[in-house]
Amino acid sequence: MAAKSIEHWLEDIRLLNEEGHSLAVALRALLQRQFQPLEEEIKYGGLLFASGPHFCGVFVYRQHVSLEFGHGAAIADALGLLEGSGKLRRHLKLRSLDDIASKQVAHYLALGLAAAQSAEGPP
């Protein structure tokens, strides 16, 4: 989706939830630094990311930001920080910018992409 639409989504979030906006912007910047190529699109009310396969999304709620992994159930979660019990998805709940480091988001992003790539199979 066009960058302008993403910018509009971020502006809407900023008007409603300043902390959520800060987290969404920081997560987006981390993803942009960590993955090339990286595609972004607004879907399901959040910002979805793909680097090859779609592998994660950022969703802003009133009390937290959820970093969702579409194939999160396949992640070997040695740190035990992922939440959720569905068939496929898992997520990290982030409540402050400090959670990005303390919940080792960069580590989980790499695991999330690897799980999505494994689920997609060989090219």
Side-chain angles (χ1 to χ4, degrees):
M1 183 165 274
K4 183 176 180 185
S5 295
I6 293 169
E7 294 307 319
H8 283 196
W9 179 80
L10 286 168
E11 180 61 16
D12 287 346
I13 297 299
R14 187 189 66 75
L15 293 171
L16 297 171
N17 181 340
E18 191 67 41
E19 184 72 23
H21 174 265
S22 296
L23 274 164
V25 168
L27 289 169
R28 183 178 184 218
L30 175 61
L31 279 145
Q32 289 172 336
R33 285 190 309 272
Q34 192 167 339
F35 301 99
Q36 292 298 321
L38 183 69
E39 296 176 25
E40 309 169 290
E41 72 175 310
I42 301 294
K43 198 169 186 177
Y44 312 121
L47 182 55
L48 302 184
F49 296 90
S51 187
H54 284 89
F55 69 101
C56 73
V58 173
F59 297 85
V60 179
Y61 299 98
R62 183 174 294 198
Q63 299 295 323
H64 69 280
V65 170
S66 184
L67 178 60
E68 301 278 338
F69 298 99
H71 295 282
I75 294 173
D77 187 14
L79 302 174
L81 298 176
L82 289 175
E83 298 183 47
S85 59
K87 185 176 177 182
L88 294 175
R89 297 172 67 86
R90 296 292 183 272
H91 63 273
L92 292 171
K93 282 186 183 175
L94 308 170
R95 291 181 172 82
S96 71
L97 289 172
D98 291 339
D99 284 348
I100 293 173
S102 68
K103 293 194 175 187
Q104 300 189 32
V105 168
H107 170 74
Y108 280 101
L109 289 171
L111 294 175
L113 177 57
Q117 289 169 331
S118 292
E120 193 174 81

